[in-house]
Amino acid sequence: MIHEKIMLPVQYREKGIRNNSFTPSLTTYILDNYDEFSAGRKRPLVLICPGGGYERLSNREAEAVAVKMNSLGFHAAVLWYSLAPMDFPAAMLDAAEAVQCVRVHAGEWNVDEKKVILCGFSAGGHLAASLGVFWNKPLVREFLPYQPEEIRPDGLLLGYPVITAGKFAHVGSIKNVLGESRFKPEDISLENHVTVDVPPVFMWHTNEDGCVPAENSLMFAEALRRAGVPLEYHLFRSGGHGLSLATKETAWPNGAGIQTECAVWPQLFAAWMGI
């Protein structure tokens, strides 16, 4: 396995975008190939953005998810992205740099370049969905030198994502991601910016989420359907916010966070991907 930490360039600082002097990085979980049974195999890669309200990053939604993806046949990497105090679109540009980095290393890592999936949980879901919405917009080209196809995710995997800045917003996430930038909440209310160019989406949420209401993903799902974007969406009846794998592996110290009916989402995602 290739397990390493890769520091990402922060080119947008030169354009006046603040990110609290943080250097974003990738931690890789790249599976080996073996002549005996997997010589030359190229695998999809899941690039994981943990949640945490854009003020911290949840370790429960990082390595454990990467290892689970490995067990299902995916390469994985975790993106440690910019947090408040920062200005939009710093974190989204970190995600763009991460996708581009994966594509640069695709040959070395045996990654299927047409199957780079950007995954995010909670505020990390907002981050992943933001790049999915804006990858080919001037908003990104203003700050980074890449061609749109270099930073386009081939799919989105979203768990209980923050989406809207409207009535059902997670106010802290929206405040933290905007910072002191020129952008307004409506500019990052993602359900209003969906076009047919958004990559295919696998998304799940719980009806009982009291932190990021399910209306976030429901509104995004409706917008994706209107635009004709391929979508698989699971709204589980039970379970609170921040479940991660919803198993003992990612449970909180008090035992909360185990939700057996939700723990099927990685297998459902793998089936969606054709693994």
Side-chain angles (χ1 to χ4, degrees):
M1 175 180 285
I2 300 175
H3 181 59
E4 62 181 328
K5 183 176 183 178
I6 299 175
M7 310 307 292
L8 297 174
V10 195
Q11 303 180 69
Y12 53 82
R13 280 188 195 145
E14 300 172 3
K15 304 282 183 73
I17 300 296
R18 178 182 59 143
N19 86 328
N20 197 27
S21 300
F22 175 77
T23 300
S25 65
L26 279 181
T27 302
T28 65
Y29 300 79
I30 306 300
L31 296 169
D32 292 321
N33 280 350
Y34 299 93
D35 291 341
E36 179 183 353
F37 69 98
S38 61
R41 178 187 295 179
K42 291 185 178 294
R43 303 176 187 267
L45 183 141
V46 178
L47 177 56
I48 301 159
C49 304
Y54 285 114
E55 62 181 356
R56 62 180 184 84
L57 293 173
S58 172
N59 288 309
R60 295 178 50 258
E61 296 163 345
E63 182 170 86
V65 177
V67 171
K68 182 65 176 181
M69 291 295 110
N70 284 165
S71 76
L72 294 170
F74 297 92
H75 297 307
V78 176
L79 172 61
W80 306 99
Y81 56 88
S82 297
L83 301 171
M86 64 174 174
D87 296 332
F88 185 79
M92 186 180 71
L93 298 175
D94 294 340
E97 291 279 11
V99 172
Q100 193 269 345
C101 177
V102 168
R103 290 219 161 92
V104 166
H105 289 87
E108 173 190 352
W109 295 344
N110 295 307
V111 172
D112 185 337
E113 293 184 65
K114 296 182 179 179
K115 293 184 179 180
V116 178
I117 309 300
L118 190 55
C119 167
F121 298 90
S122 192
H126 183 272
L127 172 55
S130 294
L131 188 60
V133 167
F134 295 124
W135 65 272
N136 61 346
K137 301 297 188 293
L139 172 61
V140 178
R141 294 196 296 271
E142 179 181 348
F143 299 106
L144 294 179
Y146 309 121
Q147 294 300 310
E149 58 270 19
E150 295 180 80
I151 62 168
R152 177 189 183 272
D154 297 303
L156 302 177
L157 166 55
L158 308 177
Y160 39 89
V162 174
I163 294 292
T164 187
K167 178 180 178 181
F168 297 101
H170 184 261
V171 176
S173 293
I174 299 303
K175 178 181 178 181
N176 287 333
V177 71
L178 282 174
E180 299 174 358
S181 70
R182 68 178 188 269
F183 298 96
K184 296 178 169 43
E186 55 265 31
D187 296 326
I188 60 164
S189 200
L190 302 179
E191 75 278 13
N192 297 325
H193 299 279
V194 171
T195 71
V196 71
D197 294 330
V198 176
V201 177
F202 180 98
M203 180 165 59
W204 69 279
H205 214 135
T206 63
N207 194 51
E208 294 179 346
D209 194 325
C211 180
V212 177
E215 280 80 2
N216 281 261
S217 56
L218 285 165
M219 287 190 290
F220 198 53
E222 183 180 10
L224 293 167
R225 280 175 49 81
R226 284 198 306 267
V229 175
L231 167 70
E232 182 164 329
Y233 176 47
H234 297 271
L235 182 62
F236 296 99
R237 179 180 65 181
S238 302
H241 188 68
L243 289 177
S244 185
L245 296 177
T247 64
K248 183 178 179 181
E249 180 67 25
T250 55
W252 283 283
N254 65 1
I258 299 174
Q259 200 74 39
T260 304
E261 62 268 48
C262 299
V264 299
W265 74 258
Q267 288 78 15
L268 292 172
F269 166 69
W272 181 74
M273 286 289 298
I275 292 291

PDB file of all heavy atoms in Angstrom, residues 160-164 168 203-222 233-237 239 241:
ATOM      1  N   TYR A 160     -25.014  12.872   4.489  1.00  0.00           N
ATOM      2  CA  TYR A 160     -25.698  13.915   5.267  1.00  0.00           C
ATOM      3  C   TYR A 160     -25.090  15.307   5.002  1.00  0.00           C
ATOM      4  O   TYR A 160     -24.659  16.015   5.917  1.00  0.00           O
ATOM      5  CB  TYR A 160     -25.700  13.582   6.765  1.00  0.00           C
ATOM      6  CG  TYR A 160     -24.434  12.958   7.326  1.00  0.00           C
ATOM      7  CD1 TYR A 160     -23.393  13.752   7.820  1.00  0.00           C
ATOM      8  CD2 TYR A 160     -24.295  11.579   7.364  1.00  0.00           C
ATOM      9  CE1 TYR A 160     -22.243  13.181   8.333  1.00  0.00           C
ATOM     10  CE2 TYR A 160     -23.145  10.994   7.882  1.00  0.00           C
ATOM     11  CZ  TYR A 160     -22.126  11.804   8.361  1.00  0.00           C
ATOM     12  OH  TYR A 160     -20.980  11.243   8.878  1.00  0.00           O
ATOM     13  N   PRO A 161     -25.068  15.724   3.724  1.00  0.00           N
ATOM     14  CA  PRO A 161     -24.336  16.942   3.360  1.00  0.00           C
ATOM     15  C   PRO A 161     -25.040  18.239   3.749  1.00  0.00           C
ATOM     16  O   PRO A 161     -26.274  18.337   3.717  1.00  0.00           O
ATOM     17  CB  PRO A 161     -24.268  16.835   1.828  1.00  0.00           C
ATOM     18  CG  PRO A 161     -25.526  16.117   1.466  1.00  0.00           C
ATOM     19  CD  PRO A 161     -25.709  15.091   2.553  1.00  0.00           C
ATOM     20  N   VAL A 162     -24.252  19.225   4.120  1.00  0.00           N
ATOM     21  CA  VAL A 162     -24.717  20.616   4.140  1.00  0.00           C
ATOM     22  C   VAL A 162     -24.835  21.055   2.680  1.00  0.00           C
ATOM     23  O   VAL A 162     -23.899  20.873   1.912  1.00  0.00           O
ATOM     24  CB  VAL A 162     -23.715  21.522   4.892  1.00  0.00           C
ATOM     25  CG1 VAL A 162     -24.128  22.982   4.782  1.00  0.00           C
ATOM     26  CG2 VAL A 162     -23.586  21.089   6.349  1.00  0.00           C
ATOM     27  N   ILE A 163     -25.971  21.605   2.309  1.00  0.00           N
ATOM     28  CA  ILE A 163     -26.191  22.038   0.938  1.00  0.00           C
ATOM     29  C   ILE A 163     -26.668  23.482   0.859  1.00  0.00           C
ATOM     30  O   ILE A 163     -26.122  24.299   0.117  1.00  0.00           O
ATOM     31  CB  ILE A 163     -27.233  21.135   0.230  1.00  0.00           C
ATOM     32  CG1 ILE A 163     -26.694  19.713   0.057  1.00  0.00           C
ATOM     33  CG2 ILE A 163     -27.648  21.729  -1.124  1.00  0.00           C
ATOM     34  CD1 ILE A 163     -25.544  19.579  -0.917  1.00  0.00           C
ATOM     35  N   THR A 164     -27.677  23.802   1.640  1.00  0.00           N
ATOM     36  CA  THR A 164     -28.359  25.079   1.480  1.00  0.00           C
ATOM     37  C   THR A 164     -27.871  26.132   2.465  1.00  0.00           C
ATOM     38  O   THR A 164     -27.414  25.812   3.569  1.00  0.00           O
ATOM     39  CB  THR A 164     -29.879  24.895   1.637  1.00  0.00           C
ATOM     40  OG1 THR A 164     -30.544  26.124   1.306  1.00  0.00           O
ATOM     41  CG2 THR A 164     -30.256  24.486   3.055  1.00  0.00           C
ATOM     42  N   PHE A 168     -33.081  25.943   5.863  1.00  0.00           N
ATOM     43  CA  PHE A 168     -32.621  24.734   6.548  1.00  0.00           C
ATOM     44  C   PHE A 168     -31.098  24.671   6.661  1.00  0.00           C
ATOM     45  O   PHE A 168     -30.521  23.595   6.804  1.00  0.00           O
ATOM     46  CB  PHE A 168     -33.163  23.502   5.819  1.00  0.00           C
ATOM     47  CG  PHE A 168     -34.662  23.425   5.828  1.00  0.00           C
ATOM     48  CD1 PHE A 168     -35.391  23.801   4.702  1.00  0.00           C
ATOM     49  CD2 PHE A 168     -35.339  23.023   6.955  1.00  0.00           C
ATOM     50  CE1 PHE A 168     -36.771  23.742   4.703  1.00  0.00           C
ATOM     51  CE2 PHE A 168     -36.732  22.959   6.967  1.00  0.00           C
ATOM     52  CZ  PHE A 168     -37.446  23.327   5.840  1.00  0.00           C
ATOM     53  N   MET A 203     -25.949   9.705  -2.753  1.00  0.00           N
ATOM     54  CA  MET A 203     -26.148  10.551  -1.571  1.00  0.00           C
ATOM     55  C   MET A 203     -27.029   9.820  -0.556  1.00  0.00           C
ATOM     56  O   MET A 203     -27.970   9.121  -0.925  1.00  0.00           O
ATOM     57  CB  MET A 203     -26.794  11.868  -2.013  1.00  0.00           C
ATOM     58  CG  MET A 203     -27.067  12.868  -0.921  1.00  0.00           C
ATOM     59  SD  MET A 203     -27.424  14.535  -1.585  1.00  0.00           S
ATOM     60  CE  MET A 203     -28.856  14.216  -2.634  1.00  0.00           C
ATOM     61  N   TRP A 204     -26.692  10.005   0.722  1.00  0.00           N
ATOM     62  CA  TRP A 204     -27.537   9.434   1.771  1.00  0.00           C
ATOM     63  C   TRP A 204     -27.659  10.395   2.943  1.00  0.00           C
ATOM     64  O   TRP A 204     -26.813  11.256   3.159  1.00  0.00           O
ATOM     65  CB  TRP A 204     -27.001   8.068   2.230  1.00  0.00           C
ATOM     66  CG  TRP A 204     -25.699   8.087   2.980  1.00  0.00           C
ATOM     67  CD1 TRP A 204     -24.448   8.167   2.456  1.00  0.00           C
ATOM     68  CD2 TRP A 204     -25.536   7.999   4.393  1.00  0.00           C
ATOM     69  NE1 TRP A 204     -23.503   8.130   3.447  1.00  0.00           N
ATOM     70  CE2 TRP A 204     -24.143   8.012   4.649  1.00  0.00           C
ATOM     71  CE3 TRP A 204     -26.414   7.886   5.475  1.00  0.00           C
ATOM     72  CZ2 TRP A 204     -23.621   7.947   5.939  1.00  0.00           C
ATOM     73  CZ3 TRP A 204     -25.897   7.808   6.764  1.00  0.00           C
ATOM     74  CH2 TRP A 204     -24.513   7.837   6.986  1.00  0.00           C
ATOM     75  N   HIS A 205     -28.740  10.232   3.686  1.00  0.00           N
ATOM     76  CA  HIS A 205     -29.058  11.109   4.806  1.00  0.00           C
ATOM     77  C   HIS A 205     -29.978  10.317   5.737  1.00  0.00           C
ATOM     78  O   HIS A 205     -30.401   9.209   5.405  1.00  0.00           O
ATOM     79  CB  HIS A 205     -29.775  12.371   4.296  1.00  0.00           C
ATOM     80  CG  HIS A 205     -29.470  13.617   5.065  1.00  0.00           C
ATOM     81  ND1 HIS A 205     -29.192  14.826   4.457  1.00  0.00           N
ATOM     82  CD2 HIS A 205     -29.409  13.865   6.406  1.00  0.00           C
ATOM     83  CE1 HIS A 205     -28.980  15.752   5.380  1.00  0.00           C
ATOM     84  NE2 HIS A 205     -29.107  15.188   6.575  1.00  0.00           N
ATOM     85  N   THR A 206     -30.272  10.868   6.903  1.00  0.00           N
ATOM     86  CA  THR A 206     -31.270  10.255   7.783  1.00  0.00           C
ATOM     87  C   THR A 206     -32.389  11.254   8.058  1.00  0.00           C
ATOM     88  O   THR A 206     -32.154  12.458   8.180  1.00  0.00           O
ATOM     89  CB  THR A 206     -30.655   9.815   9.125  1.00  0.00           C
ATOM     90  OG1 THR A 206     -30.165  10.953   9.833  1.00  0.00           O
ATOM     91  CG2 THR A 206     -29.535   8.821   8.909  1.00  0.00           C
ATOM     92  N   ASN A 207     -33.592  10.703   8.183  1.00  0.00           N
ATOM     93  CA  ASN A 207     -34.761  11.548   8.408  1.00  0.00           C
ATOM     94  C   ASN A 207     -34.729  12.208   9.779  1.00  0.00           C
ATOM     95  O   ASN A 207     -35.348  13.252   9.989  1.00  0.00           O
ATOM     96  CB  ASN A 207     -36.035  10.709   8.260  1.00  0.00           C
ATOM     97  CG  ASN A 207     -37.284  11.558   8.151  1.00  0.00           C
ATOM     98  OD1 ASN A 207     -37.347  12.476   7.343  1.00  0.00           O
ATOM     99  ND2 ASN A 207     -38.276  11.262   8.976  1.00  0.00           N
ATOM    100  N   GLU A 208     -33.996  11.612  10.715  1.00  0.00           N
ATOM    101  CA  GLU A 208     -33.952  12.122  12.081  1.00  0.00           C
ATOM    102  C   GLU A 208     -32.793  13.086  12.338  1.00  0.00           C
ATOM    103  O   GLU A 208     -32.598  13.511  13.482  1.00  0.00           O
ATOM    104  CB  GLU A 208     -33.858  10.956  13.068  1.00  0.00           C
ATOM    105  CG  GLU A 208     -35.085  10.061  13.095  1.00  0.00           C
ATOM    106  CD  GLU A 208     -34.944   8.901  14.066  1.00  0.00           C
ATOM    107  OE1 GLU A 208     -33.809   8.620  14.525  1.00  0.00           O
ATOM    108  OE2 GLU A 208     -35.978   8.282  14.380  1.00  0.00           O
ATOM    109  N   ASP A 209     -32.027  13.432  11.326  1.00  0.00           N
ATOM    110  CA  ASP A 209     -30.876  14.315  11.508  1.00  0.00           C
ATOM    111  C   ASP A 209     -31.344  15.662  12.049  1.00  0.00           C
ATOM    112  O   ASP A 209     -32.042  16.417  11.370  1.00  0.00           O
ATOM    113  CB  ASP A 209     -30.151  14.504  10.170  1.00  0.00           C
ATOM    114  CG  ASP A 209     -28.771  15.128  10.325  1.00  0.00           C
ATOM    115  OD1 ASP A 209     -28.585  15.983  11.215  1.00  0.00           O
ATOM    116  OD2 ASP A 209     -27.874  14.761   9.544  1.00  0.00           O
ATOM    117  N   GLY A 210     -30.944  15.965  13.277  1.00  0.00           N
ATOM    118  CA  GLY A 210     -31.367  17.206  13.903  1.00  0.00           C
ATOM    119  C   GLY A 210     -30.354  18.326  13.791  1.00  0.00           C
ATOM    120  O   GLY A 210     -30.584  19.430  14.279  1.00  0.00           O
ATOM    121  N   CYS A 211     -29.229  18.067  13.151  1.00  0.00           N
ATOM    122  CA  CYS A 211     -28.165  19.066  13.009  1.00  0.00           C
ATOM    123  C   CYS A 211     -28.168  19.661  11.605  1.00  0.00           C
ATOM    124  O   CYS A 211     -28.189  20.885  11.437  1.00  0.00           O
ATOM    125  CB  CYS A 211     -26.829  18.419  13.327  1.00  0.00           C
ATOM    126  SG  CYS A 211     -25.409  19.522  13.210  1.00  0.00           S
ATOM    127  N   VAL A 212     -28.121  18.806  10.609  1.00  0.00           N
ATOM    128  CA  VAL A 212     -28.233  19.204   9.203  1.00  0.00           C
ATOM    129  C   VAL A 212     -29.502  18.546   8.676  1.00  0.00           C
ATOM    130  O   VAL A 212     -29.490  17.366   8.309  1.00  0.00           O
ATOM    131  CB  VAL A 212     -27.006  18.775   8.384  1.00  0.00           C
ATOM    132  CG1 VAL A 212     -27.194  19.135   6.912  1.00  0.00           C
ATOM    133  CG2 VAL A 212     -25.745  19.431   8.925  1.00  0.00           C
ATOM    134  N   PRO A 213     -30.615  19.257   8.659  1.00  0.00           N
ATOM    135  CA  PRO A 213     -31.892  18.638   8.293  1.00  0.00           C
ATOM    136  C   PRO A 213     -31.841  17.994   6.913  1.00  0.00           C
ATOM    137  O   PRO A 213     -31.137  18.453   6.010  1.00  0.00           O
ATOM    138  CB  PRO A 213     -32.873  19.826   8.311  1.00  0.00           C
ATOM    139  CG  PRO A 213     -32.248  20.830   9.221  1.00  0.00           C
ATOM    140  CD  PRO A 213     -30.770  20.681   9.022  1.00  0.00           C
ATOM    141  N   ALA A 214     -32.620  16.920   6.761  1.00  0.00           N
ATOM    142  CA  ALA A 214     -32.657  16.181   5.503  1.00  0.00           C
ATOM    143  C   ALA A 214     -33.119  17.040   4.336  1.00  0.00           C
ATOM    144  O   ALA A 214     -32.874  16.680   3.177  1.00  0.00           O
ATOM    145  CB  ALA A 214     -33.550  14.960   5.650  1.00  0.00           C
ATOM    146  N   GLU A 215     -33.752  18.172   4.612  1.00  0.00           N
ATOM    147  CA  GLU A 215     -34.141  19.066   3.518  1.00  0.00           C
ATOM    148  C   GLU A 215     -32.937  19.490   2.677  1.00  0.00           C
ATOM    149  O   GLU A 215     -33.077  19.788   1.486  1.00  0.00           O
ATOM    150  CB  GLU A 215     -34.853  20.304   4.068  1.00  0.00           C
ATOM    151  CG  GLU A 215     -36.298  20.113   4.430  1.00  0.00           C
ATOM    152  CD  GLU A 215     -36.520  19.443   5.776  1.00  0.00           C
ATOM    153  OE1 GLU A 215     -35.509  19.149   6.470  1.00  0.00           O
ATOM    154  OE2 GLU A 215     -37.684  19.206   6.136  1.00  0.00           O
ATOM    155  N   ASN A 216     -31.753  19.515   3.295  1.00  0.00           N
ATOM    156  CA  ASN A 216     -30.542  19.844   2.526  1.00  0.00           C
ATOM    157  C   ASN A 216     -30.367  18.893   1.360  1.00  0.00           C
ATOM    158  O   ASN A 216     -30.258  19.302   0.200  1.00  0.00           O
ATOM    159  CB  ASN A 216     -29.313  19.800   3.437  1.00  0.00           C
ATOM    160  CG  ASN A 216     -29.155  21.029   4.290  1.00  0.00           C
ATOM    161  OD1 ASN A 216     -28.383  21.938   3.968  1.00  0.00           O
ATOM    162  ND2 ASN A 216     -29.886  21.087   5.392  1.00  0.00           N
ATOM    163  N   SER A 217     -30.324  17.602   1.638  1.00  0.00           N
ATOM    164  CA  SER A 217     -30.125  16.629   0.559  1.00  0.00           C
ATOM    165  C   SER A 217     -31.364  16.488  -0.308  1.00  0.00           C
ATOM    166  O   SER A 217     -31.256  16.243  -1.516  1.00  0.00           O
ATOM    167  CB  SER A 217     -29.714  15.275   1.142  1.00  0.00           C
ATOM    168  OG  SER A 217     -30.656  14.815   2.078  1.00  0.00           O
ATOM    169  N   LEU A 218     -32.558  16.649   0.273  1.00  0.00           N
ATOM    170  CA  LEU A 218     -33.783  16.557  -0.523  1.00  0.00           C
ATOM    171  C   LEU A 218     -33.826  17.657  -1.587  1.00  0.00           C
ATOM    172  O   LEU A 218     -34.184  17.396  -2.748  1.00  0.00           O
ATOM    173  CB  LEU A 218     -35.009  16.659   0.394  1.00  0.00           C
ATOM    174  CG  LEU A 218     -35.325  15.418   1.226  1.00  0.00           C
ATOM    175  CD1 LEU A 218     -36.311  15.761   2.341  1.00  0.00           C
ATOM    176  CD2 LEU A 218     -35.885  14.315   0.340  1.00  0.00           C
ATOM    177  N   MET A 219     -33.458  18.867  -1.204  1.00  0.00           N
ATOM    178  CA  MET A 219     -33.464  19.966  -2.177  1.00  0.00           C
ATOM    179  C   MET A 219     -32.412  19.751  -3.257  1.00  0.00           C
ATOM    180  O   MET A 219     -32.641  20.059  -4.433  1.00  0.00           O
ATOM    181  CB  MET A 219     -33.252  21.305  -1.466  1.00  0.00           C
ATOM    182  CG  MET A 219     -34.462  21.774  -0.686  1.00  0.00           C
ATOM    183  SD  MET A 219     -34.325  23.477  -0.084  1.00  0.00           S
ATOM    184  CE  MET A 219     -33.084  23.285   1.174  1.00  0.00           C
ATOM    185  N   PHE A 220     -31.256  19.216  -2.855  1.00  0.00           N
ATOM    186  CA  PHE A 220     -30.215  18.937  -3.836  1.00  0.00           C
ATOM    187  C   PHE A 220     -30.678  17.830  -4.784  1.00  0.00           C
ATOM    188  O   PHE A 220     -30.487  17.924  -6.000  1.00  0.00           O
ATOM    189  CB  PHE A 220     -28.922  18.537  -3.123  1.00  0.00           C
ATOM    190  CG  PHE A 220     -27.687  18.644  -3.970  1.00  0.00           C
ATOM    191  CD1 PHE A 220     -27.375  19.812  -4.640  1.00  0.00           C
ATOM    192  CD2 PHE A 220     -26.804  17.572  -4.068  1.00  0.00           C
ATOM    193  CE1 PHE A 220     -26.215  19.924  -5.416  1.00  0.00           C
ATOM    194  CE2 PHE A 220     -25.646  17.661  -4.832  1.00  0.00           C
ATOM    195  CZ  PHE A 220     -25.361  18.836  -5.506  1.00  0.00           C
ATOM    196  N   ALA A 221     -31.306  16.790  -4.224  1.00  0.00           N
ATOM    197  CA  ALA A 221     -31.802  15.695  -5.058  1.00  0.00           C
ATOM    198  C   ALA A 221     -32.831  16.206  -6.062  1.00  0.00           C
ATOM    199  O   ALA A 221     -32.817  15.824  -7.241  1.00  0.00           O
ATOM    200  CB  ALA A 221     -32.412  14.606  -4.178  1.00  0.00           C
ATOM    201  N   GLU A 222     -33.723  17.063  -5.615  1.00  0.00           N
ATOM    202  CA  GLU A 222     -34.740  17.615  -6.522  1.00  0.00           C
ATOM    203  C   GLU A 222     -34.087  18.419  -7.643  1.00  0.00           C
ATOM    204  O   GLU A 222     -34.469  18.306  -8.814  1.00  0.00           O
ATOM    205  CB  GLU A 222     -35.718  18.493  -5.739  1.00  0.00           C
ATOM    206  CG  GLU A 222     -36.848  19.047  -6.581  1.00  0.00           C
ATOM    207  CD  GLU A 222     -37.801  19.909  -5.793  1.00  0.00           C
ATOM    208  OE1 GLU A 222     -37.499  20.244  -4.628  1.00  0.00           O
ATOM    209  OE2 GLU A 222     -38.857  20.265  -6.335  1.00  0.00           O
ATOM    210  N   TYR A 233     -30.231   8.101  -4.281  1.00  0.00           N
ATOM    211  CA  TYR A 233     -30.427   8.820  -3.021  1.00  0.00           C
ATOM    212  C   TYR A 233     -31.132   7.906  -2.026  1.00  0.00           C
ATOM    213  O   TYR A 233     -32.168   7.325  -2.335  1.00  0.00           O
ATOM    214  CB  TYR A 233     -31.265  10.076  -3.279  1.00  0.00           C
ATOM    215  CG  TYR A 233     -31.633  10.878  -2.047  1.00  0.00           C
ATOM    216  CD1 TYR A 233     -30.672  11.200  -1.091  1.00  0.00           C
ATOM    217  CD2 TYR A 233     -32.928  11.329  -1.846  1.00  0.00           C
ATOM    218  CE1 TYR A 233     -30.998  11.945   0.032  1.00  0.00           C
ATOM    219  CE2 TYR A 233     -33.274  12.081  -0.736  1.00  0.00           C
ATOM    220  CZ  TYR A 233     -32.304  12.377   0.205  1.00  0.00           C
ATOM    221  OH  TYR A 233     -32.636  13.114   1.317  1.00  0.00           O
ATOM    222  N   HIS A 234     -30.543   7.802  -0.815  1.00  0.00           N
ATOM    223  CA  HIS A 234     -31.126   6.984   0.242  1.00  0.00           C
ATOM    224  C   HIS A 234     -31.409   7.870   1.451  1.00  0.00           C
ATOM    225  O   HIS A 234     -30.497   8.507   1.991  1.00  0.00           O
ATOM    226  CB  HIS A 234     -30.166   5.866   0.640  1.00  0.00           C
ATOM    227  CG  HIS A 234     -29.886   4.903  -0.467  1.00  0.00           C
ATOM    228  ND1 HIS A 234     -30.655   3.782  -0.702  1.00  0.00           N
ATOM    229  CD2 HIS A 234     -28.931   4.907  -1.430  1.00  0.00           C
ATOM    230  CE1 HIS A 234     -30.188   3.132  -1.744  1.00  0.00           C
ATOM    231  NE2 HIS A 234     -29.139   3.797  -2.213  1.00  0.00           N
ATOM    232  N   LEU A 235     -32.666   7.908   1.869  1.00  0.00           N
ATOM    233  CA  LEU A 235     -33.058   8.624   3.079  1.00  0.00           C
ATOM    234  C   LEU A 235     -33.473   7.570   4.102  1.00  0.00           C
ATOM    235  O   LEU A 235     -34.553   6.986   4.013  1.00  0.00           O
ATOM    236  CB  LEU A 235     -34.213   9.586   2.792  1.00  0.00           C
ATOM    237  CG  LEU A 235     -34.686  10.425   3.984  1.00  0.00           C
ATOM    238  CD1 LEU A 235     -33.561  11.339   4.497  1.00  0.00           C
ATOM    239  CD2 LEU A 235     -35.912  11.253   3.624  1.00  0.00           C
ATOM    240  N   PHE A 236     -32.585   7.315   5.062  1.00  0.00           N
ATOM    241  CA  PHE A 236     -32.854   6.304   6.076  1.00  0.00           C
ATOM    242  C   PHE A 236     -33.763   6.893   7.152  1.00  0.00           C
ATOM    243  O   PHE A 236     -33.647   8.059   7.520  1.00  0.00           O
ATOM    244  CB  PHE A 236     -31.553   5.811   6.697  1.00  0.00           C
ATOM    245  CG  PHE A 236     -30.646   5.099   5.722  1.00  0.00           C
ATOM    246  CD1 PHE A 236     -29.571   5.758   5.131  1.00  0.00           C
ATOM    247  CD2 PHE A 236     -30.877   3.784   5.380  1.00  0.00           C
ATOM    248  CE1 PHE A 236     -28.737   5.105   4.236  1.00  0.00           C
ATOM    249  CE2 PHE A 236     -30.049   3.110   4.483  1.00  0.00           C
ATOM    250  CZ  PHE A 236     -28.985   3.772   3.909  1.00  0.00           C
ATOM    251  N   ARG A 237     -34.645   6.043   7.673  1.00  0.00           N
ATOM    252  CA  ARG A 237     -35.641   6.530   8.632  1.00  0.00           C
ATOM    253  C   ARG A 237     -35.000   7.001   9.932  1.00  0.00           C
ATOM    254  O   ARG A 237     -35.346   8.051  10.470  1.00  0.00           O
ATOM    255  CB  ARG A 237     -36.660   5.411   8.915  1.00  0.00           C
ATOM    256  CG  ARG A 237     -37.727   5.813   9.937  1.00  0.00           C
ATOM    257  CD  ARG A 237     -38.705   4.676  10.163  1.00  0.00           C
ATOM    258  NE  ARG A 237     -38.032   3.525  10.791  1.00  0.00           N
ATOM    259  CZ  ARG A 237     -38.655   2.383  11.090  1.00  0.00           C
ATOM    260  NH1 ARG A 237     -39.925   2.212  10.773  1.00  0.00           N
ATOM    261  NH2 ARG A 237     -37.986   1.393  11.665  1.00  0.00           N
ATOM    262  N   GLY A 239     -31.603   7.542  12.799  1.00  0.00           N
ATOM    263  CA  GLY A 239     -30.187   7.879  12.912  1.00  0.00           C
ATOM    264  C   GLY A 239     -29.958   9.373  12.986  1.00  0.00           C
ATOM    265  O   GLY A 239     -30.603  10.146  12.279  1.00  0.00           O
ATOM    266  N   HIS A 241     -27.088  12.780  13.294  1.00  0.00           N
ATOM    267  CA  HIS A 241     -26.078  13.367  12.412  1.00  0.00           C
ATOM    268  C   HIS A 241     -24.696  12.764  12.696  1.00  0.00           C
ATOM    269  O   HIS A 241     -24.411  12.320  13.798  1.00  0.00           O
ATOM    270  CB  HIS A 241     -26.020  14.879  12.631  1.00  0.00           C
ATOM    271  CG  HIS A 241     -25.157  15.590  11.639  1.00  0.00           C
ATOM    272  ND1 HIS A 241     -25.478  15.693  10.315  1.00  0.00           N
ATOM    273  CD2 HIS A 241     -23.963  16.243  11.784  1.00  0.00           C
ATOM    274  CE1 HIS A 241     -24.543  16.365   9.672  1.00  0.00           C
ATOM    275  NE2 HIS A 241     -23.606  16.708  10.548  1.00  0.00           N
TER     276      HIS A 241
END
